[in-house]
Amino acid sequence: GQGLALVAQTMMPTLSPAPPVPLRGLPPARRYSVKLVEPWPAKVASSLAVPDMWRKGLILSGRALAEGGITLPLQAETAWLVSVCEAD
């Protein structure tokens, strides 16, 4: 299966960096490829530590996505489109 999630920050975060964003509801034992859909928000895209990793996809378990989440650079009025697909 596959899906999209929208992660948006409307105001300045109270914590810096923003806390991880959990992606819940996925079967914990399955593995998923997580990518950031481009174009990325210009004012925070340069803050991604390893952009190619987000283009190729991180492979994480449903458990890791629910419990640890993903960390994204967020500032006021930014949004990321996150693609989540079952990994082979």
Side-chain angles (χ1 to χ4, degrees), residues 42-69:
K43 64 181 175 180
V44 291
S46 62
S47 299
L48 285 174
V50 186
D52 284 343
M53 175 179 69
W54 288 104
R55 284 185 183 101
K56 292 178 185 174
L58 298 169
I59 304 298
L60 298 166
S61 69
R63 176 173 280 103
L65 290 168
E67 294 175 4

Side-chain angles (χ1 to χ4, degrees), residues 9 15-16 18 20 31-32 57 62:
Q9 181 76 38
L15 299 174
S16 184
R31 293 167 28 105
Y32 297 89

